[in-house]
Amino acid sequence: MPSLNLKAKKSEICTLLLELSRDSKRSIIKERSRREELISEAVDSLAQWLNDVWKVIYETRFIQVYHSLPPDAQQLLVQKQLVPLLDVVPKDRRKKAIDSATEMQTRYAHMPSLNLKAKKSEICTLLLELSRDSKRSIIKERSRREELISEAVDSLAQWLNDVWKVIYEYRTNFKLAHGCLLFACDALDQIGSVCGGCRCSYANMFIPITIRRSSGKLVKSFSLTGAHNLARVMLWIWRDLFVTMLATGSKRQRSNIQDMLDDIRVLLGWRALEHLLHGGRKKSFDDEDDEGEEEEYANDEPEQRDRWRQVVEDDGDENYTSDDCSTACDEELYPSSYYADHWSWRMTDQQVRLRDLVHKTLLCLFKVAPSEPLYASMASIADSEEDLDAELHPMLMSVATHSSDNFAAALRILSLNNRADSLHKLLTTHRHLLRPQDTASLQFATIIMSSNFSYRYHGLTIAQEELIDISNALHAAVRSCFCNISAEAYKTELRQILALRPDSLNRRNRVERWVKNVLTPQVDATHPMALAALMMGIPLPPGMEGADEGDMLGYFEIDSDDPELEDLREEFRPNLKSRLQGWVETVTSVKGGQAMLLKVYNKTAQDMPFLNANDIVEEMSARLSERPSKHHVCDALEAFRDFCKKQKKRASVNAKKEGQTNGTAAGRAATDVLSSASGSVPGFASFDPLGGPSTSSSAIMDDVD
């Protein structure tokens, strides 16, 4: 395709026009002129250039149409329309086209064949045999499990070297290589799933992988423990795939990188994109990751230099003209984990463009579902955190109110960036979006907002409302477990018990009797599975005759750390203890928070006066400890007891200090009155440090004032 260098053409025509202007002046004196010659040269140059423009337009249009056709139609077009044109073109051009095709044939003659269909058939056969073996091993008490897993993983490991050769040495079949890597990741996941309950052989197998050139020269070697770590090698190959596409691929090929990154994000998660930039490592400098890994690189191979010279230069990018094969890199521009020693300068320069593409992919996800880990990942690959915050802040404010997850994530991110004004704005209008599991985010936001004097009152108000809400939640849970606690007769009896001496035998007996009387009687409820069994006529299995009422989570075996079940845990077993302790620590760190805690204590002690009695709380907890579904109530009772004990002690200390202050003031007032009275008695003179009696009582009073 002809090169349309507009800048050079402008310079050429302007030079001819300038020369034509000079010639018109010289012709007056010398009586000779090159006018016709210069005009003819300019017109011929423009005519040839317009011909090139016409060729480029039609060639570009043809290429666009050709790429829009399906593969079968493309091949048919070449065979029936383009090949016959070789008979009508000049002989030299026909020879040039045939020589070019022969040269490409020679170049790709020894390229490995990435037969994805055959590899899929091989892995599926091994997976099927592994599934059959897991069934036969129950009867025959023997298994080929480790052998089959090792065979499947080794097959994938050897295949990865062929994938790397195709994309890096031969620089072709990028889309096919990407599909092969996606299949390898999916196959690894399927192998781990077929392993079933015990995955020891899968997670502990030793996998040595070597990446070699076609010449046999070692490029990189991995020594991995666990088949799941094979994904690290795939991410390393993916990075080489993308930098090769950016350096040598056509514009159409480079446009596919964004979709490929989306495929990786869907299959492996968005964290894999950050790991991809580091060559599969989870961190920039991960010493634990490097243990057992050997690396050897070939830097100055003549073969590598020759291969770079064979790269097709017509790739639509004029920014890269040097094929220098030096692998030295400026670590200030490129962190060591961002590049590989076997890259050339041209390849190394693409890492910045690849990082921008990864940032764009993560940004698309952030627009829909922002989160603190995602923001931290974007900040780790960004050039400037300030620029990143300026870019993401308007976007975060626009999507923060779309859901509770977005709102909690926005609070965390805004708190990390110390955006007190934005926190105040969101919490003023959309605090209702927060859930109990978002308490940590709200506490962090409250601390940041309270650090600004303008929003401190708002922060303390939020903390007080949350503490009162936790107190009300405990009060409701206590009334559910002790249904008679609100009866007037038992309230009166509680006041009488609190008036008794703490260690007396009479108080101990009355506490036990009072707790027993107010306790909600436990009724055996039919287990849902037992009810279903009765309806189908099946005898009741042992252990299903009764269950704790309201213990819905006790019917299922669920992961206590699963974040997706957090809403269920908060509904049936809310962690009031951690919420109380978190808010107390938050308020303690804010100026003026201690006075607010005393207000909450007064409200709590008024609603639940038994919290000031340690023996009553212990007896109530002992009664509830027999019910697994009420353990969270026991923890909350003990936490509120400690809270009330600490605040009661603090209130006592404050009252004592206030009394001492008031007593000192009263004593000073009495001394002044006495001095005033003694000065008015005849024959009595008050002592003056300067010597001599005081003149009048009014002078003394003025001095005191």
Side-chain angles (χ1 to χ4, degrees):
M1 181 181 296
S3 176
L4 301 179
N5 195 332
L6 180 60
K7 184 177 181 180
K9 183 57 65 175
K10 282 183 177 180
S11 176
E12 177 186 354
I13 298 300
C14 288
T15 302
L16 290 173
L17 291 175
L18 182 61
E19 187 65 25
L20 189 61
S21 176
R22 291 174 180 173
D23 182 78
S24 63
K25 298 177 181 178
R26 288 197 298 263
S27 63
I28 300 174
I29 302 173
K30 296 184 178 181
E31 297 181 355
R32 62 179 178 177
S33 174
R34 298 176 57 237
R35 182 174 183 178
E36 294 183 2
E37 179 185 348
L38 293 172
I39 292 175
S40 177
E41 184 179 352
V43 171
D44 290 343
S45 177
L46 288 175
Q48 293 177 4
W49 194 60
L50 290 175
N51 188 28
D52 292 341
V53 172
W54 178 85
K55 290 181 180 179
V56 168
I57 292 174
Y58 275 87
E59 287 180 11
T60 304
R61 182 181 177 186
F62 176 80
I63 291 174
Q64 291 177 350
V65 173
Y66 178 79
H67 286 319
S68 65
L69 297 175
D72 293 339
Q74 291 177 351
Q75 189 173 5
L76 185 63
L77 177 64
V78 172
Q79 291 177 353
K80 289 192 173 184
Q81 301 296 332
L82 299 183
V83 173
L85 292 178
L86 293 175
D87 297 333
V88 298
V89 298
K91 185 177 180 180
D92 57 339
R93 299 194 66 179
R94 180 170 64 230
K95 185 177 182 300
K96 184 178 179 181
I98 295 175
D99 291 344
S100 178
T102 305
E103 182 182 354
M104 295 179 69
Q105 181 186 19
T106 304
R107 180 184 177 188
Y108 298 120
H110 302 288
M111 185 180 69
S113 176
L114 301 181
N115 195 336
L116 181 57
K117 183 177 180 181
K119 184 60 65 174
K120 283 183 177 180
S121 177
E122 176 189 352
I123 297 298
C124 288
T125 302
L126 290 173
L127 290 174
L128 182 61
E129 187 64 26
L130 189 60
S131 178
R132 291 173 180 171
D133 181 79
S134 62
K135 300 175 182 177
R136 289 196 298 264
S137 61
I138 300 176
I139 302 175
K140 296 185 177 182
E141 297 181 356
R142 60 182 179 179
S143 176
R144 297 175 57 236
R145 183 179 189 176
E146 294 186 6
E147 177 185 348
L148 293 171
I149 293 176
S150 178
E151 182 178 354
V153 173
D154 289 343
S155 176
L156 290 174
Q158 294 175 6
W159 195 45
L160 291 178
N161 194 15
D162 292 340
V163 174
W164 180 84
K165 289 179 182 178
V166 169
I167 63 176
Y168 192 81
E169 290 193 338
Y170 296 94
R171 301 181 182 90
T172 186
N173 285 343
F174 297 127
K175 201 166 186 179
L176 175 61
H178 174 69
C180 293
L181 292 173
L182 290 176
F183 167 73
C185 288
D186 186 58
L188 274 181
D189 186 60
Q190 291 186 37
I191 293 172
S193 301
V194 173
C195 289
C198 181
R199 302 179 50 165
C200 298
S201 57
Y202 176 82
N204 297 317
M205 65 185 304
F206 177 72
I207 308 175
I209 301 178
T210 56
I211 304 295
R212 297 181 180 273
R213 299 182 182 274
S214 299
S215 61
K217 184 69 175 181
L218 178 67
V219 176
K220 188 176 179 68
S221 65
F222 297 86
S223 299
L224 305 175
T225 301
H228 58 283
N229 288 322
L230 199 61
R232 173 182 170 182
V233 183
M234 299 176 194
L235 291 174
W236 184 85
I237 297 175
W238 253 313
R239 183 177 67 170
D240 276 15
L241 166 66
F242 292 136
V243 296
T244 304
M245 291 177 67
L246 289 170
T248 66
S250 63
K251 185 176 181 181
R252 179 172 176 270
Q253 289 174 329
R254 292 196 295 266
S255 64
N256 294 327
I257 295 180
Q258 201 72 53
D259 294 334
M260 293 180 177
L261 290 173
D262 284 333
D263 294 337
I264 298 174
R265 178 186 62 81
V266 172
L267 185 63
L268 299 178
W270 59 263
R271 295 180 187 273
L273 298 180
E274 180 187 358
H275 303 163
L276 181 146
L277 291 176
H278 298 290
R281 290 187 177 95
K282 295 184 178 179
K283 296 180 181 178
S284 300
F285 303 96
D286 195 344
D287 297 335
E288 297 181 358
D289 250 1
D290 292 339
E291 291 182 0
E293 178 185 328
E294 300 175 359
E295 299 183 8
E296 296 183 18
Y297 295 95
N299 293 337
D300 298 322
E301 291 185 76
E303 178 188 357
Q304 183 187 10
R305 229 180 259 114
D306 294 340
R307 288 187 179 276
W308 270 110
R309 293 194 181 101
Q310 295 174 5
V311 175
V312 178
E313 293 301 329
D314 188 15
D315 59 357
D317 196 339
E318 300 178 358
N319 295 328
Y320 301 95
T321 57
S322 174
D323 286 336
D324 184 10
C325 215
S326 172
T327 55
C329 187
D330 188 356
E331 293 188 1
E332 294 182 359
L333 296 177
Y334 307 99
S336 60
S337 61
Y338 270 28
Y339 70 96
D341 287 351
H342 65 281
W343 288 354
S344 70
W345 264 110
R346 185 176 185 182
M347 301 285 279
T348 304
D349 290 344
Q350 310 309 313
Q351 182 66 315
V352 178
R353 302 172 69 186
L354 177 59
R355 185 177 59 184
D356 292 339
L357 290 172
V358 171
H359 172 77
K360 188 181 298 183
T361 303
L362 295 178
L363 187 64
C364 293
L365 179 62
F366 190 87
K367 291 178 182 178
V368 179
S371 66
E372 182 188 0
L374 179 59
Y375 177 82
S377 179
M378 297 177 68
S380 66
I381 65 175
D383 292 330
S384 170
E385 292 190 14
E386 291 77 10
D387 295 341
L388 179 67
D389 179 43
E391 178 185 10
L392 297 184
H393 182 260
M395 189 185 309
L396 185 63
M397 293 297 291
S398 64
V399 302
T401 58
H402 290 181
S403 66
S404 296
D405 290 331
N406 287 8
F407 193 76
L411 292 184
R412 296 289 299 182
I413 295 172
L414 294 173
S415 300
L416 288 172
N417 294 323
N418 200 19
R419 295 269 191 171
D421 51 346
S422 300
L423 291 171
H424 170 72
K425 181 179 178 181
L426 289 178
L427 290 174
T428 301
T429 57
H430 290 83
R431 207 178 103 201
H432 60 277
L433 292 175
L434 291 172
R435 304 156 298 181
Q437 56 262 37
D438 301 327
T439 300
S441 300
L442 182 58
Q443 290 169 354
F444 189 19
T446 302
I447 293 176
I448 298 301
M449 191 166 55
S450 301
S451 62
N452 190 319
F453 178 77
S454 302
Y455 309 120
R456 184 175 299 164
Y457 177 77
H458 187 196
L460 289 175
T461 302
I462 292 176
Q464 181 175 352
E465 292 176 359
E466 291 294 327
L467 284 169
I468 292 177
D469 181 68
I470 298 172
S471 176
N472 293 336
L474 176 63
H475 193 197
V478 167
R479 284 185 297 177
S480 174
C481 301
F482 302 91
C483 60
N484 296 323
I485 200 170
S486 300
E488 287 298 330
Y490 294 110
K491 284 185 178 181
T492 304
E493 185 178 359
L494 176 61
R495 287 193 291 269
Q496 295 174 358
I497 294 174
L498 293 175
L500 297 176
R501 191 164 57 87
D503 297 332
S504 63
L505 179 62
N506 182 25
R507 172 166 174 154
R508 189 180 309 126
N509 294 334
R510 293 190 65 177
V511 166
E512 294 178 358
R513 185 170 62 251
W514 181 82
V515 172
K516 182 178 180 181
N517 291 335
V518 300
L519 182 66
T520 302
Q522 186 175 1
V523 180
D524 290 339
T526 305
H527 197 286
M529 298 300 292
L531 182 60
L534 289 175
M535 295 179 64
M536 292 186 292
I538 302 175
L540 286 177
M544 287 193 177
E545 292 81 3
D548 186 14
E549 77 283 356
D551 188 20
M552 296 299 297
L553 294 183
Y555 299 148
F556 310 100
E557 294 183 1
I558 61 174
D559 185 6
S560 59
D561 297 327
D562 189 352
E564 296 182 358
L565 300 176
E566 189 68 29
D567 53 344
L568 291 178
R569 287 193 292 270
E570 286 294 338
E571 180 178 355
F572 293 103
R573 298 177 184 176
N575 195 350
L576 301 177
K577 177 181 178 181
S578 65
R579 289 168 58 188
L580 172 66
Q581 293 174 346
W583 277 113
V584 171
E585 292 178 1
T586 300
V587 173
T588 305
S589 63
V590 178
K591 185 177 181 180
Q594 294 294 344
M596 189 269 289
L597 288 178
L598 290 176
K599 295 180 181 179
V600 175
Y601 161 69
N602 293 331
K603 173 71 168 55
T604 303
Q606 182 180 358
D607 294 338
M608 296 174 284
F610 54 84
L611 291 175
N612 286 318
N614 185 43
D615 51 351
I616 298 179
V617 173
E618 288 183 354
E619 183 64 24
M620 295 171 71
S621 299
R623 295 282 183 172
L624 295 179
S625 63
E626 302 173 359
R627 307 181 186 182
S629 65
K630 304 301 179 184
H631 285 175
H632 66 283
V633 181
C634 299
D635 296 337
L637 281 172
E638 294 172 359
F640 266 92
R641 175 199 60 191
D642 297 338
F643 168 74
C644 291
K645 181 178 180 181
K646 185 179 295 185
Q647 296 305 317
K648 183 179 180 181
K649 182 178 180 180
R650 188 180 299 276
S652 177
V653 171
N654 292 342
K656 186 180 296 185
K657 289 182 179 179
E658 185 178 355
Q660 291 176 354
T661 303
N662 293 338
T664 303
R668 288 177 180 175
T671 304
D672 294 340
V673 172
L674 180 61
S675 300
S676 171
S678 62
S680 62
V681 177
F684 182 83
S686 61
F687 177 76
D688 185 0
L690 297 178
S694 59
T695 57
S696 67
S697 61
S698 61
I700 297 177
M701 296 303 295
D702 291 340
D703 183 66
V704 172
D705 290 338

